[in-house]
Amino acid sequence: MSIEAVIFDWGGTLSRYAEIDLADMWQLAAERLARETNRSVPELREALIAAEKRYWDGVNQSQHTGTLGDILAAESRALGLDVTAAVIAEAAQRHLDAWTPHIRHYADAVVTLQRLREQGIAIGLLSNTHWPESFHEHFLQRDGLAGLLDVRAYTSNMEHSKPHPEAFLHVLGRLNVAPEHAVMVGDRPVDDVWGGQQVGMRGVWRPHSQAPALGSVVPDAIIQRLDELPALLAGW
């Protein structure tokens, strides 16, 4: 069966894994809120990080996604403070790179996407995220990946997150490719590999030091580097 499309996960797959994507922003928000209240920066920062964790726990259970605005509204209610205003104020003063200096794509990401395009393979991106689309687009544009991705889909704009079938079918529909002609590549065995397999795609696991264990998931292939992928697909 010929491969016509590859869909990549973002965090931990195309970009280096960052354990808490929002840690920098929560630090800045906590510093601003501490200046406006008698509460300490560490207390506020830990409360914000804990609220984000509760959000992701809920997403993992329901596979219904949300937005950064949803998180900020919930945290504002929990803390009794306007977290949204604090974040917007910091956003007005700081560049995204200053918020998230740890977000970097793998060195072989661009060349891998280029080689896949040379093979005539369509390329998609499917990211479980609460960040607005513009956040991801900024980093993809900065590192030269945006123009190599035919479809970019973020669950902050969608009803369901991976591994719900609708998330994968959404991207496949935009690529106009049937599941049996497509491959899902990601670092999370259930969200990415198993999720793609459940709709008829092949699943490729790309682990890193912080990736979850495979458990009962059986990938169609395992790669240690992105640049192994073009040769693997050519063999299929």
Side-chain angles (χ1 to χ4, degrees):
M1 190 71 69
S2 62
I3 302 301
E4 299 176 6
V6 176
I7 300 174
F8 289 92
D9 169 55
W10 187 60
T13 303
L14 289 178
S15 68
R16 295 184 178 277
Y17 177 77
E19 186 166 354
I20 305 176
D21 283 346
L22 298 184
D24 303 306
M25 189 182 76
W26 295 147
Q27 174 68 28
L28 297 174
E31 291 173 1
R32 176 171 287 272
L33 290 169
R35 293 196 296 270
E36 300 169 356
T37 68
N38 61 358
R39 301 172 72 170
S40 71
V41 171
E43 173 199 357
L44 291 165
R45 182 185 63 246
E46 293 309 310
L48 292 168
I49 290 174
E52 184 190 4
K53 182 180 184 301
R54 288 194 297 274
Y55 164 84
W56 281 115
D57 288 343
V59 168
N60 290 336
Q61 292 172 11
S62 69
Q63 296 172 28
H64 279 277
T65 188
T67 68
L68 181 60
D70 296 333
I71 294 178
L72 294 175
E75 294 179 7
S76 295
R77 292 191 296 270
L79 289 176
L81 299 170
D82 193 343
V83 176
T84 302
V87 168
I88 290 174
E90 291 300 328
Q93 297 178 21
R94 300 175 187 265
H95 194 268
L96 274 176
D97 285 325
W99 276 11
T100 52
H102 51 276
I103 293 183
R104 291 290 182 271
H105 291 96
Y106 284 104
D108 56 351
V110 168
V111 68
T112 298
L113 299 186
Q114 290 172 335
R115 288 174 182 168
L116 292 175
R117 292 177 70 88
E118 290 168 1
Q119 292 176 351
I121 294 175
I123 306 173
L125 174 73
L126 176 58
S127 176
N128 275 4
T129 181
H130 49 55
W131 278 105
E133 182 175 326
S134 59
F135 170 87
H136 298 279
E137 293 292 301
H138 165 78
F139 291 108
L140 291 168
Q141 292 282 356
R142 182 197 67 186
D143 293 344
L145 279 75
L148 299 171
L149 295 160
D150 300 295
V151 169
R152 303 185 291 278
Y154 310 104
T155 60
S156 53
N157 295 335
M158 300 161 61
E159 184 177 353
H160 295 101
S161 61
K162 297 176 292 184
H164 195 286
E166 290 300 322
F168 300 94
L169 294 175
H170 169 84
V171 181
L172 290 168
R174 291 173 61 186
L175 289 169
N176 194 29
V177 173
E180 60 267 25
H181 292 286
V183 175
M184 180 68 206
V185 181
D187 66 317
R188 303 188 70 83
V190 174
D191 290 355
D192 299 319
V193 177
W194 179 85
Q197 290 173 330
Q198 295 313 291
V199 299
M201 303 172 67
R202 298 192 195 190
V204 174
W205 190 42
R206 197 270 188 211
H208 51 76
S209 61
Q210 301 299 314
L214 278 174
S216 61
V217 175
V218 180
D220 292 283
I222 299 174
I223 58 173
Q224 300 301 324
R225 292 176 51 88
L226 291 171
D227 58 13
E228 298 172 26
L229 189 63
L232 171 68
L233 301 187
W236 283 350

